[in-house]
């Protein structure tokens, strides 16, 4: 390839890269995701971080493994908002009671609702047998 052709080709790629980068870095978050993240949910996110829920729980599959994944606890059959509230209010033998007030718990619920609407976890269905082996259920 002659040098001029290489330069034109490189220039074309460079300009395309710049235009693409501009759109990637200036495009906004989709508005429906923004609407779900209410000020209450934002406050709940801070409470979640301050109390280190991440050390035992996963969201979107990431976090600690002592407690269950909380991504879809709000919509899981047999669980839901009231169950979640009750568990946070009382704690269990393994999970501490954080002595949060009503407002803080409501914010946490708003945050968990946001997480539930924006993710699914785990993405594959499996069950663990008593001998530790795993069954994948499609
Ligand atoms: C020291 C570890 C630990 C921390 C920190 C912790 N949890 Fe838990 N949590 C657990 C365990 C373990 C369970 C499972 C219940 C059990 O076995 O007692 C649980 C259960 C739950 C459940 C019920 C989940 C389900 O699917 O049944 C919710 C909701 C929950 N925790 C919320 C929270 C929130 C919110 C925080 C932070 C304020 C938090 N947890 C911090 C250990 C923890």
């Amino acid at each position: 390839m002659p040098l001029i052709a290489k330069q034109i080709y490189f220039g074309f790629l460079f300009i395309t890269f710049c235009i693409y980068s501009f759109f990637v870095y200036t495009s906004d978050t989709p508005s429906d995701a923004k609407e779900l993240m209410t000020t209450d949910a934002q406050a709940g996110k801070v409470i979640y971080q301050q109390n280190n829920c991440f050390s035992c729980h996963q969201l979107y599959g990431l976090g600690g493994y002592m407690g269950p994944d909380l991504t879809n606890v709000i919509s899981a059959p047999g669980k839901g908002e009231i169950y979640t509230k009750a568990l946070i209010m009382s704690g269990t033998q393994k999970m501490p009671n954080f002595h949060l007030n009503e407002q803080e718990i409501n914010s946490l619920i708003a945050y968990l609702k946001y997480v539930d609407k924006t993710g699914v976890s785990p993405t594959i269905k499996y069950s663990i047998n008593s001998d530790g082996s795993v069954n994948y259920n499609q």
Side-chain angles (χ1 to χ4, degrees):
M1 205 193 284
L3 183 63
I4 185 72
K6 278 185 188 165
Q7 285 171 338
I8 290 171
Y9 186 61
F10 176 79
F12 169 75
L13 286 179
F14 183 73
I15 290 167
T16 321
F17 165 79
C18 291
I19 293 170
Y20 181 71
S21 299
F22 175 79
F23 283 111
V24 166
Y25 287 102
T26 56
S27 63
D28 213 354
T29 311
S31 61
D32 52 336
K34 256 192 199 161
E35 281 161 24
L36 288 171
M37 193 65 168
T38 55
T39 43
D40 219 16
Q42 286 172 23
K45 185 177 181 181
V46 173
I47 295 164
Y48 193 90
Q49 290 169 338
Q50 281 172 343
N51 290 282
N52 237 343
C53 311
F54 268 119
S55 61
C56 296
H57 291 284
Q58 308 110 66
L59 288 182
Y60 308 115
L62 298 172
Y65 284 90
M66 186 177 165
D69 189 311
L70 299 181
T71 314
N72 303 120
V73 68
I74 294 293
S75 64
K79 294 185 181 171
E81 191 174 330
I82 296 171
Y83 166 88
T84 305
K85 244 185 184 172
L87 226 135
I88 297 171
M89 277 168 96
S90 60
T92 70
Q93 279 186 320
K94 294 185 211 155
M95 171 166 147
N97 180 346
F98 293 89
H99 302 288
L100 300 171
N101 64 36
E102 184 82 19
Q103 176 59 43
E104 290 170 321
I105 293 176
N106 286 339
S107 300
L108 267 177
I109 299 290
Y111 177 54
L112 290 173
K113 277 184 181 168
Y114 164 81
V115 173
D116 183 55
K117 291 240 167 63
T118 52
V120 177
S121 186
T123 49
I124 46 169
K125 291 196 174 115
Y126 63 91
S127 53
I128 302 175
N129 302 320
S130 54
D131 64 357
S133 60
V134 175
N135 285 334
Y136 293 100
N137 319 311
Q138 293 312 313

